[in-house]
Amino acid sequence: MKISADVISDLGRKAASFWVRYSRGFYTIVFFLVFGLGLSVWYRDVYHGDWTAEQKQQYALIAFRTTEFREADFDRAVRMTLLRAEYHKTEVSVDHDLFFPDTSKR
């Protein structure tokens, strides 16, 4: 069976016409499917995310170990912030005005 170029061209025209006519509906269906999937994953994680007491204890121990307070680094950051605040309180003096140069000094 031999397929002529006219049949292929006609099929292409029909396929393009079908796509133009129904693409919006296709994307709407895909959007709602993805939205529904995300909603179901969220619902499962929020309402059925049960941890055993042992898992909660293990998580608390790991979280406590990794969030130790480093006082020396904190004090250094506070000192740097205070130094910057003092620096920004000082008045800025412009020695050379780029836009309005003083011509009397020549």
Side-chain angles (χ1 to χ4, degrees):
M1 176 175 179
K2 198 169 190 180
I3 300 175
S4 68
D6 292 336
V7 173
I8 293 175
S9 177
D10 190 41
L11 283 174
R13 251 188 248 113
K14 286 182 181 179
S17 174
F18 178 82
W19 178 251
V20 167
R21 186 175 299 147
Y22 296 111
S23 63
R24 184 177 295 164
F26 173 75
Y27 285 124
T28 303
I29 290 170
V30 168
F31 170 77
F32 282 113
L33 286 174
V34 170
F35 184 76
L37 178 67
L39 193 62
S40 68
V41 168
W42 171 80
Y43 180 81
R44 188 184 60 216
D45 285 347
V46 170
Y47 291 108
H48 299 292
D50 299 331
W51 280 11
T52 63
E54 182 180 328
Q55 287 174 326
K56 289 179 184 177
Q57 183 68 24
Q58 185 179 11
Y59 176 78
L61 287 174
I62 291 172
F64 181 72
R65 273 191 239 135
T66 57
T67 56
E68 64 186 34
F69 182 68
R70 295 184 298 248
E71 189 174 357
D73 292 341
F74 177 75
D75 289 339
R76 186 169 50 92
V78 169
R79 275 196 315 273
M80 287 174 57
T81 305
L82 292 175
L83 285 174
R84 286 181 185 172
E86 288 298 318
Y87 176 74
H88 289 295
K89 285 181 184 176
T90 61
E91 190 170 325
V92 177
S93 64
V94 178
D95 295 335
H96 179 72
D97 192 355
L98 182 65
F99 298 106
F100 300 107
D102 188 15
T103 57
S104 63
K105 291 184 181 179
R106 285 187 185 185

